[in-house]
Structures are given as C-alpha cells and as structure tokens.
Amino acid sequence: MASKPYFQVCVPTTHRGQPGRYGLHIFTGPASSSEEALRYAREACDTALAAQRPATGDGVLDSPARWRARGVCPEWVMDWEAATADVWQNESSLECPWPFVLTPAES
C-alpha cells in the first residue's frame, strides 16, 4: 500500500478576548486529498480542545489519522471556512499560501 502524501492545513485564528490579535494555526499529516486533510486537521483540533487542556509542549494529542494538534488553546477561534490545505512540498519548512501582513508595531 502506498503511503499518503503529507498535507499542511493553515487555519486563520483570532483571539476571543482581543480581536486585533490574529494569526495562523498550522496542522500537518497524511491524507488522500485536501478535503480529507481538512477533516483530519479539524478532528485533531477538536480532540485537543475536548481534552479541556491545551496540547502544548510535550503534550501532543494525535488523532486516529496521525494528525497532531499542538498549541491548541480555547482562547483562539479557528476560522475553518477560510482554512487552506495543500500538499506539503518541503518537509523541512512550512510555507503557507498566505500573505503575511505586519502592522507597523510588528515590523
């Protein structure tokens, strides 16, 4: 059986208490398609949030499909409608098809 390609799923996030804070949460794992990758990423995120504790540091929670959720916190709202999934071409780096915009305070 051939192994599935690795995908990266980029999910825009906004902080619940501070809407001016935003970013991306990136999930990676094997999948047969971008639709499957999105489903697995969301399952991994939901599993981490259901555990009632952030999955940070060494506390990595794996979904049955071997997708990882690290650093998932309930303070951040995931915008799954705007999430993108692409085959991870370079496993030594994460490159999102996403324009990063820095505010003057961040540049």
Side-chain angles (χ1 to χ4, degrees), residues 51-63:
Q52 296 288 324
R53 61 175 165 48
T56 59
D58 292 333
V60 178
L61 299 175
D62 289 331
S63 74

Side-chain angles (χ1 to χ4, degrees), residues 8-15 20-28 38 45 70-73 76-86 94-102 106:
Q8 65 185 38
V9 175
C10 299
V11 185
T13 61
T14 306
H15 194 276
R21 290 180 63 194
Y22 57 90
L24 286 175
H25 199 98
I26 300 171
F27 299 88
T28 61
L38 285 165
C45 182
R70 179 174 286 187
V72 175
C73 299
W76 289 88
V77 178
M78 304 277 179
D79 183 357
W80 290 102
E81 294 295 317
T84 60
D86 292 294
L94 292 173
E95 298 175 7
C96 281
W98 210 265
F100 287 96
V101 179
L102 296 178
E106 297 170 316

